[in-house]
């Protein structure tokens, strides 16, 4: 098994001055395209066995029989793990001690709470034997009727939505404002269940050595996973070593330890040998989270000039019967549009599914497509261009809280995006444009926003006598290029060329880099890296400026700069000294610094912190068949300081494509009789391919934010979804004149109301 991945010998790229802001290519790119990057399931320790899950084919009931003898009698099968022989855990997997802890299905009993729930684990010498053994179990059930969908049972107001957000929030008297408005818009929108479907399925390779545990598994939060596993198995966290250098996508589903990961560890303990467990694609539809469906009603009050007087956003969603995670969809209306009266509220229904969890832009994605569609409807009701309506209702402060924004360049996003797209040529009424082939053409827009979050992290920096440096933090890279951006921050903080830097990440024995989620990873781990660099440079400067033999002696008050592997006097740049000389004279082989990062509570209590953007979409619709094609997407985004524009633009592309997918493609189809998902594969669970989004353009709008953190970084991973989904929906209306309020938009939605 590999211990860690070092990028010290990755190819160098040209840089000019600071590494920050340079469009460097991915430092791990060559490893990935040559197959040298090792993902969790690529590891095969000596003596390893293969484990395969047997999962429930019902959504509610209990397992009454498993043919264990038949499975164990199959050649190559070593053991079958069931509730009867599963090794004990130190804590109840149904216990919860913090908002980021969720209940796990790890064979604690014979109850079935959702389809695809693990009911046994077959362990064998080969993957084929384990798979065949699982099929031989032939489970029998005592079945109860499945509760499925938003109308499956009695609804209730959840205690909180998201992670501790209030389920109901109000500013001003919404009902009074609606009653006195010159006009009103009211509409209900529905979004479906969606599943993460990362290219890399969930996997684990686990090996015990006494009470020490070695794990290869994809994880968006190494230290959090280490702590959760330590609690479940009653061992010290330092006894657990997790390697997760590369993730083939996560989107939130790999942020928390899941039941299948724990089952892999239990299987290894049961048989006393290393075990690999990899989920099949269809098994990812259940125990590892998803985006819950919603039904959202928006009511907007308007005065005679088209200004909003009231905004009410109510969302209904689902959660599992045994845990609490509630999609905070209505919270999307807290931040974007100025209204003297705003009310958001949520209700929920318990259904027989796996627990919905964090999925890329949780709450904002589902809420924004409804909000942006309703805003478009309000603009049409007022006879205003959608962009003009948004500018008329532009929020100078955060509407729900009244806080000033730490920075907000949304006006610039509107202007730059509209200019690049050619928005000024858009006719107000729908069905006014056709292309040369006779297809209906529509243009729509949506406003993008996502909170600028930040968590806690740590990093360790080392300067060596040979003039090179090392930066260590347990960061993750899900493919977004985090390792490259972090290396740029590290090189800048250490005053080194990036080729002189060794960056280490991806293992749990390194300093805790926090969680790669909430579009906060670069800000969180990046600030820890920045602080670690500043710490070691300060220590080196103290050493030099206090040494009479150094040309920097006495420069303590004036200060020094760190650049090109040298400390330079600020007041006299002709006087400098290399790191190597400073360390050599002091007889030191290296010098270490530590850095920590966390959000500033004072700044957070004072300012509303968000990234912003505007997305413009063009669609073409076949008037005979109702087939929709997205032909152009233009997004303009302001997200603070950009560490690497090449990587940031790539993230915007991914978010915008996901937004189009939300509107036109993704939908988990549920069999309402059995509670099973019918399209649990990548053939029928549709996501966009290249032909579905032929032209995507992302503009990076300059924005300086001195309050979010010292580097001025906001997140970029999720914001692209929030504007695009609504923009595509609004473009479909502009092309056809048919307003679809149920997503994804289907051909029959366009053909049913009236002929195109």
């Amino acid at each position: 098994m590999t211990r860690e991945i070092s990028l010290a010998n990755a190819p160098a790229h040209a840089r000019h001055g600071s590494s920050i802001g340079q469009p460097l290519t991915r430092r791990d790119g060559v490893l990935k395209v040559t197959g040298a990057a090792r993902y969790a399931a690529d590891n095969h320790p000596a003596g390893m066995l293969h484990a395969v899950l047997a999962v429930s084919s019902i959504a509610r009931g209990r397992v009454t029989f498993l043919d264990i003898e038949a499975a164990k009698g199959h050649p190559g099968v070593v053991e079958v793990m069931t509730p009867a022989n599963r090794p004990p855990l130190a804590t109840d997997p149904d216990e919860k001690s913090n908002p980021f802890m969720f209940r796990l299905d790890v064979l604690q009993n014979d109850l079935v709470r959702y389809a695809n729930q693990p009911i046994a684990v077959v362990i064998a010498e080969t993957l084929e034997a384990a798979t065949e053994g699982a099929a031989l179990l032939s489970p029998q059930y005592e079945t109860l009727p499945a509760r499925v969908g938003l109308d499956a049972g009695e609804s209730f107001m959840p205690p909180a939505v998201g992670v501790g957000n209030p389920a109901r929030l109000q500013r001003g008297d919404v009902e009074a404002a609606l009653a006195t408005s010159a006009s009103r818009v009211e509409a209900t929108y529905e979004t479906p269940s969606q599943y993460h479907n990362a290219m890399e399925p969930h996997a684990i390779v686990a090996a015990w050595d006494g009470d020490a545990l070695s794990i290869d598994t994809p994880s968006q939060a190494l230290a959090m996973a280490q702590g959760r596993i330590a609690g479940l198995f009653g061992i010290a966290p330092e006894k657990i070593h997790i390697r997760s250098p590369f993730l083939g996508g996560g989107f939130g589903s790999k942020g928390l330890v899941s039941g299948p990961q724990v089952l892999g560890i239990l299987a290894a303990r049961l048989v006393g040998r290393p075990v690999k467990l990899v989920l099949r694609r269809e098994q990812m539809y259940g125990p590892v989270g998803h985006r819950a469906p919603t039904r959202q009603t928006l009511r907007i009050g308007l005065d005679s000039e088209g200004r909003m007087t009231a905004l009410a956003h109510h969302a209904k969603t689902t959660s599992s019967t045994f845990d609490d995670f509630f999609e905070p969809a209505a919270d999307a209306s807290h931040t974007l549009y100025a209204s003297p009266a705003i009310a958001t509220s949520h209700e929920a229904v318990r259904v027989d599914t796996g627990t919905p969890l964090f999925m890329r832009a949780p709450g904002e994605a589902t809420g924004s497509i409804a909000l942006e569609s309703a805003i478009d409807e309000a603009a049409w009701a007022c006879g205003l261009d959608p962009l003009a309506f948004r500018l008329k209702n532009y929020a100078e402060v955060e509407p729900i809280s009244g806080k000033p924004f730490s920075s907000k360049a949304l006006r610039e996003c509107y202007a730059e995006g509209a200019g690049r797209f050619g928005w000024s040529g858009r006719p107000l009424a729908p069905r006014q444009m056709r292309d040369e082939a006779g297809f209906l053409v529509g243009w729509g827009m949506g406003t993008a926003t996502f909170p600028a979050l930040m968590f806690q992290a740590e990093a360790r920096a080392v300067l060596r006598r040979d003039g090179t440096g090392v930066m260590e933090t347990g960061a993750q890279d899900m493919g977004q290029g985090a390792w490259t951006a972090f290396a740029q921050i590290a090189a800048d903080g250490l005053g080194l060329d990036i080729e002189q830097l060794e960056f280490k990440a991806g293992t749990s024995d390194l300093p805790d880099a926090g969680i790669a989620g909430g579009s906060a990873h670069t800000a969180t781990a990046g600030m820890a890296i920045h602080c670690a660099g500043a710490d070691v440079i300060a220590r080196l400067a103290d050493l030099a400026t206090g040494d009479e033999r150094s040309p920097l002696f006495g420069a303590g008050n004036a200060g020094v700069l760190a650049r090109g592997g040298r400390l330079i006097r600020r007041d006299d740049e002709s006087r400098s000294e290399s790191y190597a000389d400073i360390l050599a004279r002091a007889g030191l082989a290296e010098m270490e610094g530590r850095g920590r990062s966390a959000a500033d509570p004072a700044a957070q209590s004072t300012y509303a912190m968000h990234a912003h953007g505007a997305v413009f979409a063009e669609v073409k619709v076949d008037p005979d068949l109702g087939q929709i094609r997205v032909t152009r997407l233009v997004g303009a985004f302001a997200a603070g300081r950009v560490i690497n524009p090449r990587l940031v633009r790539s993230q915007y592309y991914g978010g915008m494509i996901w937004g189009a997918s939300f509107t036109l493609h993704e939908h988990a189809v549920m069999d309402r009789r059995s509670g099973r998902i019918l399209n649990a594969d990548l053939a029928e669970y549709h996501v966009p391919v290249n032909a579905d989004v032929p032209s995507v353009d992302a503009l990076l709008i300059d924005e300086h934010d001195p309050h979010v953190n010292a580097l001025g970084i906001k997140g970029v991973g999720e914001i692209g979804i929030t504007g695009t989904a609504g923009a595509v929906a609004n473009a479909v209306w502009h092309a056809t004149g048919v307003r679809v309020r149920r997503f994804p938009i289907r051909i029959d939605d366009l053909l049913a109301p009236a002929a195109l």
Side-chain angles (χ1 to χ4, degrees), residues 50-52 124-132 278:
H50 294 264
V52 166
E125 296 287 350
T126 66
L127 176 61
E128 292 79 6
T131 302
E132 291 160 3
V278 181

Side-chain angles (χ1 to χ4, degrees), residues 132-362:
E132 291 160 3
L136 290 170
L137 286 172
S138 303
Q140 296 177 16
Y141 305 96
E142 180 182 287
T143 305
L144 294 171
R147 295 162 291 189
V148 176
L150 288 161
D151 300 309
E154 185 176 349
S155 62
F156 61 95
M157 186 174 76
V161 295
V163 182
N165 299 346
R168 188 184 300 272
L169 201 59
Q170 183 163 334
R171 180 184 177 94
D173 192 334
V174 168
E175 298 304 327
L178 286 169
T180 57
S181 296
S183 60
R184 290 175 50 173
V185 170
E186 180 172 345
T188 298
Y189 307 87
E190 291 197 12
T191 65
S193 296
Q194 297 176 349
Y195 284 77
H196 302 82
N197 273 309
M199 283 193 293
E200 177 199 29
H202 291 66
I204 187 166
V205 179
W208 288 92
D209 182 5
D211 63 347
L213 177 61
S214 175
I215 297 171
D216 293 279
T217 193
S219 173
Q220 295 176 230
L222 288 169
M224 190 181 298
Q226 189 181 42
R228 177 68 158 134
I229 294 167
L232 286 168
F233 287 88
I235 57 178
E238 56 268 23
K239 289 280 190 178
I240 302 168
H241 185 61
I242 306 175
R243 290 171 293 270
S244 186
F246 300 106
L247 280 75
F251 317 125
S253 72
K254 296 170 183 170
L256 304 169
V257 170
S258 65
Q261 288 171 301
V262 178
L263 289 172
I265 300 169
L266 285 164
R269 171 160 277 184
L270 179 65
V271 298
R273 290 169 63 180
V275 166
K276 178 194 290 188
L277 190 156
V278 181
L279 294 191
R280 296 197 305 269
R281 177 65 54 180
E282 70 272 15
Q283 292 175 342
M284 294 169 63
Y285 291 73
V288 293
H290 65 281
R291 197 193 305 278
T294 69
R295 181 180 297 144
Q296 304 174 58
T297 299
L298 282 101
R299 296 179 294 155
I300 299 175
L302 302 158
D303 68 14
S304 58
E305 297 182 351
R307 291 186 176 84
M308 294 168 60
T309 59
L311 172 60
H313 190 163
H314 178 74
K316 184 177 184 179
T317 189
T318 66
S319 192
S320 68
T321 59
F322 57 92
D323 211 342
D324 296 327
F325 180 85
F326 304 99
E327 184 82 356
D331 289 0
S333 289
H334 289 168
T335 64
L336 272 181
Y337 299 109
S339 174
I342 297 176
T344 58
S345 56
H346 298 82
E347 63 177 307
V349 172
R350 296 202 179 276
V351 296
D352 296 310
T353 67
T355 303
L357 291 173
F358 308 99
M359 184 168 172
R360 202 174 189 194

Side-chain angles (χ1 to χ4, degrees), residues 22 106 116 144 263 336 394 433 481 503 531 620 628 727 749:
Q22 298 300 310
V106 288
N116 275 339
L144 294 171
L263 289 172
L336 272 181
Y394 191 89
M433 297 193 294
F503 178 67
C531 292
K620 294 184 178 181
I628 306 166
D749 292 323

Side-chain angles (χ1 to χ4, degrees), residues 482-564:
W483 283 23
T484 305
F486 290 149
Q488 291 178 256
I489 296 170
D492 196 72
L494 292 173
L496 294 172
D497 291 336
I498 200 164
E499 58 267 21
Q500 296 174 294
L501 174 75
E502 182 179 4
F503 178 67
K504 295 182 179 181
T507 60
S508 63
D509 56 346
L510 298 174
D512 178 10
I515 184 170
S519 296
H521 197 34
T522 305
T524 300
M527 273 303 303
I529 289 167
H530 172 76
C531 292
D535 184 48
V536 72
I537 291 296
R539 293 172 186 270
L540 191 69
D542 286 344
L543 188 64
T545 58
D547 187 341
E548 294 182 355
R549 298 168 293 174
S550 171
L552 300 174
F553 176 68
N557 290 332
V560 296
L561 301 170
R563 189 168 63 223

Side-chain angles (χ1 to χ4, degrees), residues 13-24 471 482-499 501 522-523 525-531 533-534 562 639-648 700 702-704 709-714:
H13 303 276
R15 66 183 289 274
H16 303 283
S18 171
S19 291
I20 290 180
Q22 298 300 310
L24 306 187
M471 186 67 71
W483 283 23
T484 305
F486 290 149
Q488 291 178 256
I489 296 170
D492 196 72
L494 292 173
L496 294 172
D497 291 336
I498 200 164
E499 58 267 21
L501 174 75
T522 305
M527 273 303 303
I529 289 167
H530 172 76
C531 292
R641 190 179 190 185
V642 172
I643 301 301
N644 184 317
R646 182 193 299 267
L647 302 177
V648 165
L700 279 57
D702 288 339
E703 183 180 64
H704 173 65
N709 49 67
L711 289 173
I713 298 170
K714 299 179 179 180

Side-chain angles (χ1 to χ4, degrees), residues 304-627:
S304 58
E305 297 182 351
R307 291 186 176 84
M308 294 168 60
T309 59
L311 172 60
H313 190 163
H314 178 74
K316 184 177 184 179
T317 189
T318 66
S319 192
S320 68
T321 59
F322 57 92
D323 211 342
D324 296 327
F325 180 85
F326 304 99
E327 184 82 356
D331 289 0
S333 289
H334 289 168
T335 64
L336 272 181
Y337 299 109
S339 174
I342 297 176
T344 58
S345 56
H346 298 82
E347 63 177 307
V349 172
R350 296 202 179 276
V351 296
D352 296 310
T353 67
T355 303
L357 291 173
F358 308 99
M359 184 168 172
R360 202 174 189 194
E364 284 84 6
T366 47
S368 67
I369 193 171
L371 174 62
E372 290 305 300
S373 296
I375 290 295
D376 208 64
E377 296 199 47
W380 175 245
C382 296
L384 290 172
D385 172 83
L387 177 54
F389 181 82
R390 286 168 171 81
L391 288 169
K392 186 179 283 287
N393 291 282
Y394 191 89
E396 300 294 349
V397 299
E398 185 180 53
I400 197 69
S401 69
K403 295 179 184 178
F405 291 102
S406 59
S407 63
K408 185 180 182 183
L410 179 55
R411 289 187 189 276
E412 291 83 352
C413 294
Y414 284 146
E416 293 293 325
R420 177 70 65 90
F421 186 82
W423 184 261
S424 62
R426 177 188 185 273
L428 186 63
R431 298 180 61 88
Q432 300 301 302
M433 297 193 294
R434 290 180 183 258
D435 70 0
E436 62 280 0
F439 285 9
L440 296 164
V441 179
W443 290 358
M445 69 166 296
T447 306
T449 187
F450 198 80
L453 303 175
M454 189 169 165
F455 307 122
Q456 296 182 2
E458 300 173 353
R460 174 178 178 264
V462 175
L463 289 174
R464 296 165 170 161
R465 188 187 290 187
D466 63 3
T468 63
V470 182
M471 186 67 71
E472 299 178 339
T473 188
Q476 298 79 32
D477 193 323
M478 293 180 285
Q480 74 274 44
W483 283 23
T484 305
F486 290 149
Q488 291 178 256
I489 296 170
D492 196 72
L494 292 173
L496 294 172
D497 291 336
I498 200 164
E499 58 267 21
Q500 296 174 294
L501 174 75
E502 182 179 4
F503 178 67
K504 295 182 179 181
T507 60
S508 63
D509 56 346
L510 298 174
D512 178 10
I515 184 170
S519 296
H521 197 34
T522 305
T524 300
M527 273 303 303
I529 289 167
H530 172 76
C531 292
D535 184 48
V536 72
I537 291 296
R539 293 172 186 270
L540 191 69
D542 286 344
L543 188 64
T545 58
D547 187 341
E548 294 182 355
R549 298 168 293 174
S550 171
L552 300 174
F553 176 68
N557 290 332
V560 296
L561 301 170
R563 189 168 63 223
R566 304 182 70 84
L567 294 184
I568 306 166
R569 285 189 66 130
R570 288 182 181 273
D571 59 350
D572 183 1
E573 293 200 9
S574 66
R575 299 174 64 183
S576 68
E577 189 171 22
S578 70
Y579 302 166
D581 288 346
I582 297 169
L583 291 172
R585 190 172 54 250
L588 298 174
E590 62 181 36
M591 180 167 282
E592 176 184 317
R594 296 273 179 166
R596 295 176 179 269
S597 67
D600 179 359
Q604 287 191 317
S605 65
T606 304
Y607 297 100
M609 299 178 179
H610 301 272
H612 295 93
V615 180
F616 300 83
E618 177 184 85
V619 303
K620 294 184 178 181
V621 181
D622 187 316
D624 299 316
L625 302 178
Q627 187 180 55

